[in-house]
Every structure is written in structure tokens, then in C-alpha cells.
Amino acid sequence: MIGNRHSWGASGFTILEVGEINRQTFQLDIEHYLVCRPDGTTLDESFTLAEAKAEIERLEAA
């Protein structure tokens, strides 16, 4: 399940939370993050939050 999205960088990239709903707490247990390009497509890899931020910064610098 996709959770919240977080804008990152200056070019329109977003970071998407991916996880499962915890039936006891009714909260999303985040398993990993996806990087979404400004055109709406996602990168094939999954990341930690820090890795996702670094990947966006790397892509914007290229």
C-alpha cells in the first residue's frame, strides 16, 4: 500500500512511502520508499528514506 508522499528537491521529485497497515494500530508500517520522477513514473529500485533523498539529489545534479 502506498502511504504519504514527500516532495524532495527542486525539480518535482517525490518520495512515496510503501508498507502495510498494522491491524493493531491502524497505522502504516513503512517497509521502504519509492522515488517518483516529475513525469509520474517511479524508479525500479526501493530505498530507505535517506537513500531516496540522496538518489534525488544525485539525479538533479546530473
Side-chain angles (χ1 to χ4, degrees):
M1 166 178 266
I2 300 291
N4 293 318
R5 69 168 184 77
H6 307 277
S7 297
W8 194 259
S11 302
F13 283 89
T14 55
I15 299 171
L16 305 173
E17 299 173 345
V18 179
E20 296 293 327
I21 296 292
N22 182 317
R23 293 178 187 242
Q24 294 177 338
T25 64
F26 299 107
Q27 294 182 343
L28 182 68
D29 288 340
I30 298 170
E31 296 171 356
H32 59 270
Y33 295 86
L34 298 175
V35 171
C36 187
R37 292 184 177 101
D39 67 3
T41 60
T42 57
L43 300 181
D44 293 332
E45 307 143 79
S46 59
F47 302 92
T48 66
L49 183 56
E51 290 170 342
K53 290 176 179 179
E55 180 66 11
I56 291 171
E57 291 167 0
R58 185 190 69 75
L59 290 169
E60 287 186 329

